Amino acid sequence: MTKQRKKVVLAYSGGLDTSVAIKWIPERYDMDVITVTIDLGAVKDLESIRQKALKIGAKKAIVVDAKDTFVKYFVMPALQAGALYEGVYPLATALGRPLIAKLLADAAEDEKADAVAHGCTGKGNDQVRLDVSLQVLNPRLQIIAPLREWKMSRDEEIQYAEEHGIHVEAKVSSPYSTDENLWGRSVECGVLEDPWMEPPADVYKWTRNVKDVPDEPAYIEIDFEKGIPIALNGKKTEGVALINTLNALGGEHGVGRIDHIENRLVGIKSREIYEAPAAVILHAAHKALEGMNMTKDALRFKEIVSSHYADLIYNGLWFSAFHQDLVAYVLSSQRIVNGTIRVKLSKGSCAVVGRKSPHALYSEELATYQKTDVFDHAASLGFIKIYGLPVKTQSQKQMSVLSGREALNLGSIMPPKVLP
């Protein structure tokens, strides 16, 4: 009786690395390859990629349109959390990796595969995100990462592809390494590795140069329900369509460019260029609405949660109990994040210029200096006395009474006299 060969599920993009892997894995591991191609908003022709995988030698080629799942279960929760890594990066690539891991694990279960494989290098963050997620989702699966193992240069890869009849679209490597999905596009390598160099024009694909944008600004209104955008300019719009619309409009006005020196999980600093028009617009609008509806203490604590939330996404810990704990707080905080934000897009900038909400804590009657003012000015005197009591007491007890080295000295924060 012939022994059945083991099977491996490979995350397949259609590019050089994973195309070579379709041939290399059977040679190295004696396994049949099943490919899974996942569309998160960047794959243009799923069927042609599927056919290419089969032509190279895959025993089965699966394609998945996961855009709606990506937006509903990954992008929108991250937006509600206000997750921006190091305050700027909307985590487009990082958010896609746990979904890819989930789909690989699902396919491995359906196909009764023994292993999964991906095209990550041994230097980046993505290998960690995928490997850690897969270890949680199905620890029995062997994880194969050919680019960490085969030690081939790009030229050697191209030669290998030609020798094995694998069609190679580009003979010369791109000067940049890129990744994209509908939430954003990332670019690195090449001249970008010199942080003193301004990014060349050809780095950007989604956003126009400020000198080429329209002179007239664009105004948009975004409706939120529980922290999730649900409408543009008063028209109900589903997540994928809403993000695509904002990407196009924001890019037209040069909005969404990010140039960042980033602290990678693997311990190095990396210069990253991002294009994320929709993410930049939505994060700005969402934060402005929170500012209208959440208390001061809630906003301060939300900043801490947002930072931890962004870190766990970036560090590949989406499938963790800590994430589940943070989600509980985020969902609770978003119950009152309902309303409309008006945004102005102009010359590369995104500015919030209007806010309204049925749950706003902002009160014009309290804030105004006009005759309609209802603030109790007389109450301020007593408030100031109580508020200032601790520092007044400290001054009397520790600055005036004590002497020498024991006395508190404010010299380091006290400016000199400047009066003539």
Side-chain angles (χ1 to χ4, degrees):
M1 183 176 179
T2 304
K3 183 180 179 181
Q4 187 175 8
R5 292 182 73 184
K6 291 184 176 181
K7 292 181 284 188
V8 56
V9 173
L10 168 68
Y12 182 59
S13 67
L16 174 63
D17 294 335
T18 50
S19 292
V20 168
I22 294 176
K23 286 288 188 181
W24 183 87
I25 290 175
E27 291 179 353
R28 174 68 174 78
Y29 288 94
D30 192 29
M31 290 182 173
D32 289 334
V33 175
I34 298 168
T35 63
V36 176
T37 301
I38 302 163
D39 181 14
L40 300 181
V43 180
K44 305 305 179 185
D45 190 346
L46 289 168
E47 181 56 26
S48 67
I49 293 176
R50 192 181 78 85
Q51 291 297 332
K52 181 178 180 180
L54 293 172
K55 184 177 180 181
I56 294 171
K59 299 301 181 182
K60 185 176 182 179
I62 302 168
V63 296
V64 183
D65 182 344
K67 294 190 292 293
D68 288 324
T69 301
F70 181 48
V71 170
K72 181 177 180 180
Y73 292 98
F74 294 86
V75 171
M76 292 307 174
L79 177 63
Q80 288 176 302
L84 293 168
Y85 183 64
E86 297 183 330
V88 295
Y89 171 36
L91 297 159
T93 297
L95 279 168
R97 295 318 186 228
L99 176 54
I100 291 172
K102 175 64 164 59
L103 294 171
L104 286 176
D106 289 346
E109 181 180 3
D110 292 344
E111 300 297 329
K112 296 180 173 54
D114 306 277
V116 291
H118 57 71
C120 299
T121 70
K123 194 174 183 178
N125 297 312
D126 287 335
Q127 58 174 336
V128 180
R129 295 164 182 156
L130 287 173
D131 285 16
V132 171
S133 295
L134 287 163
Q135 288 169 10
V136 173
L137 295 168
N138 191 340
R140 76 166 183 83
L141 290 171
Q142 179 183 356
I143 300 173
I144 300 172
L147 268 71
R148 289 195 302 227
E149 301 177 35
W150 62 29
K151 310 299 182 185
M152 284 191 282
S153 67
R154 188 171 180 86
D155 288 340
E156 289 171 335
E157 273 191 77
I158 292 173
Q159 182 180 350
Y160 180 98
E162 291 175 343
E163 290 173 353
H164 289 77
I166 301 170
H167 175 64
V168 180
E169 295 181 357
K171 300 294 183 182
V172 180
S173 63
S174 167
Y176 310 115
S177 174
T178 64
D179 185 86
E180 66 180 70
N181 56 47
L182 57 79
W183 195 230
R185 177 175 179 266
S186 64
V187 191
E188 60 184 16
C189 301
V191 297
L192 300 176
E193 292 175 349
D194 181 355
W196 183 250
M197 292 291 294
E198 180 179 1
D202 65 349
V203 166
Y204 300 104
K205 302 299 182 185
W206 289 13
T207 56
R208 298 177 70 174
N209 191 298
V210 172
K211 66 182 180 63
D212 299 321
V213 303
D215 290 328
E216 292 297 316
Y219 290 86
I220 52 176
E221 294 183 3
I222 306 169
D223 295 338
F224 287 85
E225 186 175 287
K226 295 183 178 179
I228 295 176
I230 59 169
L232 288 178
N233 298 324
K235 182 180 179 181
K236 294 285 185 181
T237 309
E238 294 298 323
V240 173
L242 185 146
I243 291 170
N244 285 334
T245 299
L246 291 179
N247 275 333
L249 185 59
E252 178 74 10
H253 287 268
V255 172
R257 294 186 175 188
I258 300 166
D259 185 347
H260 180 47
I261 299 296
E262 188 169 288
N263 291 293
R264 283 188 178 178
L265 175 59
V266 294
I268 63 176
K269 287 185 182 288
S270 174
R271 204 271 188 91
E272 304 285 342
I273 301 298
Y274 298 111
E275 290 184 284
V280 167
I281 294 167
L282 289 173
H283 271 288
H286 178 261
K287 187 173 184 179
L289 185 57
E290 286 186 327
M292 283 281 283
N293 292 11
M294 294 174 68
T295 65
K296 175 182 175 180
D297 290 337
L299 286 168
R300 297 297 190 273
F301 188 72
K302 178 71 185 309
E303 288 180 359
I304 298 172
V305 172
S306 297
S307 177
H308 282 289
Y309 204 106
D311 283 350
L312 75 83
I313 293 171
Y314 189 86
N315 295 337
L317 300 175
W318 183 272
F319 300 109
S320 65
F322 182 44
H323 182 193
Q324 191 169 359
D325 295 338
L326 290 184
V327 164
Y329 171 77
V330 169
L331 292 177
S332 177
S333 74
Q334 298 300 292
R335 290 175 298 172
I336 43 78
V337 184
N338 307 304
T340 303
I341 298 295
R342 187 165 69 247
V343 178
K344 177 183 178 181
L345 308 178
S346 178
K347 302 292 184 179
S349 71
C350 166
V352 172
V353 295
R355 311 156 177 85
K356 64 180 181 180
S357 169
H359 303 124
L361 298 178
Y362 175 87
S363 168
E364 188 173 353
E365 289 182 329
L366 288 172
T368 185
Y369 286 89
Q370 305 304 318
K371 290 183 178 181
T372 54
D373 181 10
V374 298
F375 184 81
D376 186 355
H377 293 250
S380 295
L381 181 60
F383 168 75
I384 292 169
K385 286 183 178 180
I386 298 300
Y387 178 74
L389 184 60
V391 291
K392 179 182 178 181
T393 302
Q394 184 183 43
S395 175
Q396 293 172 334
K397 297 293 185 180
Q398 297 177 351
M399 296 178 190
S400 302
V401 178
L402 296 175
S403 61
R405 297 180 59 143
E406 294 180 341
L408 294 180
N409 192 332
L410 300 184
S412 64
I413 59 173
M414 189 70 69
K417 278 188 175 181
V418 294
L419 292 176

